[in-house]
Amino acid sequence: MRLGISTFPIEDGLDIRVLGRALEERGFESLFVPEHTHIPALLRTTTPGGRDVPDEFRRTPDPFVVLGAVAACTERLLLGTGVCLVVERDPIVTAKEVATVDFLSGGRFLFGVGGGWNRQEMANHGTDFPTRFALLRERILAMKEIWTKDEAEFHGTHVDFDPIWSWPKPIQQPHPPVLVAGNGAGTLDRVIEYGDGWIPIPGRGAVALGEGTTRLRELAAERGRPPVPVTVFGARPDPEVLDHYAEAGVDRVLFSLPPVLTPDALKRLDTYANLAETERS
């Protein structure tokens, strides 16, 4: 099981380039960063868990720029979005950003995507909340056309463009892995249709982790696909927890680092690194 880190790279935190090098030196497999273009300034805005929106949600920079910076100062570390809010993005522009980071990193990009939860944030981008998953599907399928064809076109209900040329193409073939996040009733169907991996959120949603990984293996076998990798965010650094994830069929576990790295947080990173070393041995 591979171990990585997820964090919000805000301006008051540790330089993300320094963190990237530190992760690579300590043997971590990957670094994931989130996306929020903005947070609406509304008192009623809360997270899916019912909490007030943390300050780092308002302050997170563009994930593609961040990961491009980390790519320039690392050699092996995989670089992921956790997650990219595709429903708030132009698919042609996003396809180019994904391909560019993959190209510049030598094929190290992991494209975590999700439908999002903040209705007003989406509305500010012109996205209707009830149709977000249909929009997500078409934008992902359209980007795959752009990544894999010299002359790409797409004609759907939500995305429609005539033949275009767009380079660079991704290094990874046919394209960087698309990791679909969520625990809703239709999530596994979305993973199987257009995903290359699943990002569940343990303890939340309609699909439990163990049940989900089992069902995902069944769906993949029905489609003649190999097992679909599973990435879990926010894991506790406990060997028993990691053993539980391994038994459930999880392939990658991400520990969360706070956005502002205090000395205690840096000690936590070393604790995670020791677990990573144990996993490798």
Side-chain angles (χ1 to χ4, degrees):
M1 193 165 58
R2 295 156 287 174
L3 302 183
I5 293 292
S6 65
T7 192
F8 282 78
I10 65 174
E11 72 273 18
D12 295 332
L14 179 69
D15 187 322
I16 195 67
R17 295 163 294 185
V18 174
L19 177 60
R21 289 192 293 267
L23 296 180
E24 191 164 82
E25 290 166 0
R26 288 166 171 78
F28 287 97
E29 180 238 16
S30 52
L31 169 66
F32 282 72
V33 298
E35 175 175 49
H36 282 285
T37 60
H38 69 289
I39 293 295
L42 301 172
L43 293 177
R44 65 176 180 270
T45 300
T46 59
T47 68
R51 300 181 296 123
D52 290 339
V53 176
D55 188 54
E56 58 266 26
F57 282 46
R58 305 177 181 93
R59 299 183 179 277
T60 185
D62 182 275
F64 295 99
V65 176
V66 167
L67 295 175
V70 178
C73 58
T74 56
E75 296 179 354
R76 301 177 305 279
L77 190 70
L78 301 187
L79 310 166
T81 48
V83 293
C84 176
L85 298 177
V86 173
V87 298
E88 299 178 4
R89 287 178 151 271
D90 179 277
I92 298 175
V93 173
T94 306
K96 182 176 285 287
E97 289 191 296
V98 169
T100 299
V101 174
D102 197 62
F103 174 74
L104 293 176
S105 69
R108 291 187 280 140
F109 185 69
L110 302 171
F111 192 30
V113 304
W117 53 268
N118 194 315
R119 289 174 178 262
Q120 187 59 45
E121 182 181 354
M122 292 180 208
N124 290 344
H125 286 279
T127 295
D128 184 31
F129 190 81
T131 64
R132 69 194 187 282
F133 289 120
L135 179 64
L136 174 65
R137 172 185 177 273
E138 288 196 9
R139 287 184 176 174
I140 294 294
L141 295 177
M143 286 189 280
K144 288 186 177 187
E145 292 294 303
I146 295 170
W147 294 327
T148 58
K149 294 181 180 177
D150 287 347
E151 192 169 283
E153 64 181 296
F154 191 88
H155 302 285
T157 302
H158 305 281
V159 180
D160 187 12
F161 55 85
D162 290 328
I164 64 171
W165 297 319
S166 179
W167 277 270
K169 300 300 183 185
I171 296 291
Q172 297 179 82
Q173 295 297 315
H175 51 72
V178 177
L179 313 181
V180 179
N183 287 65
T187 297
L188 298 184
D189 292 331
R190 290 190 283 273
V191 173
I192 289 296
E193 181 184 5
Y194 54 78
D196 305 292
W198 179 35
I199 302 177
I201 306 171
R204 186 190 300 170
V207 182
L209 179 62
E211 171 192 343
T213 54
T214 298
R215 180 57 181 153
L216 191 58
R217 285 193 294 270
E218 295 171 350
L219 290 172
E222 290 172 5
R223 297 287 186 94
R225 291 183 54 175
V228 177
V230 177
T231 298
V232 169
F233 277 68
R236 287 191 289 116
D238 183 326
E240 291 186 3
V241 171
L242 295 183
D243 288 343
H244 165 71
Y245 285 147
E247 292 171 3
V250 172
D251 300 272
R252 175 185 296 111
V253 169
L254 302 178
F255 302 122
S256 296
L257 280 183
V260 178
L261 293 183
T262 64
D264 286 343
L266 291 175
K267 290 180 182 178
R268 190 186 309 179
L269 179 59
D270 288 329
T271 299
Y272 297 163
N274 291 334
L275 285 173
E277 179 61 34
T278 300
E279 285 293 314
R280 288 195 299 273
S281 61

